[in-house]
Amino acid sequence: MNPSFPPDLASLATRLQHQHAELTAQLRRRLASAQPLASLLLAGNASLDDPAVIRQLPRCDLTRLADELFALRSLDAACARLADGSYGRCLSCGEPIAPERLRVQPTAQNCLSCQTAHEQRLPTAGTRYQPS
Ligand SMILES: [Zn+2]
């Protein structure tokens, strides 16, 4: 529908890598007093779910930090999908993800219907999730 989509995948990869580098630099600055924990967090080798990790962190907004780490992981995953040629396909059903969705959210992993179904399955009290 939009003639500018699909974008040149090479330029999309460059854009995502740029975002990744910027976010990494931003997180490193914020966590500068908590090296090498910052390196572990940025590499995905430490989790904010771990109370021991939380105790070592400098005073910071954990919700924001968690959101940024999630965004970093999403960028990692999108770059990997671009590299292996699976970018733009839903990880759940394998169908192409709507270009409109990718334009708004280039790191989207699922088509809208799979994402909606996934969000409806998310536990609200920690007990409803049933793996299929
Ligand atoms: Zn799907």
Side-chain angles (χ1 to χ4, degrees), residues 45-126:
N45 294 325
S47 166
L48 293 180
D49 293 334
D50 183 347
V53 168
I54 303 283
R55 279 196 297 274
Q56 294 175 61
L57 284 172
R59 236 173 235 290
C60 65
D61 181 341
L62 286 177
T63 304
R64 184 174 161 199
L65 182 60
D67 285 348
E68 288 170 342
L69 286 170
F70 180 79
L72 196 64
R73 294 285 85 79
S74 299
L75 286 166
D76 277 340
C79 289
R81 290 195 304 279
L82 274 166
D84 74 13
S86 64
Y87 184 82
R89 293 222 164 250
C90 175
L91 290 186
S92 299
C93 69
E95 292 296 315
I97 299 173
E100 293 76 21
R101 178 163 166 73
L102 286 174
R103 199 165 47 241
V104 174
Q105 192 184 353
T107 57
Q109 300 186 359
N110 295 306
C111 68
L112 192 56
S113 60
C114 288
Q115 186 63 33
T116 303
H118 174 70
E119 284 168 8
Q120 285 169 351
R121 277 197 313 266
L122 284 179
T124 52

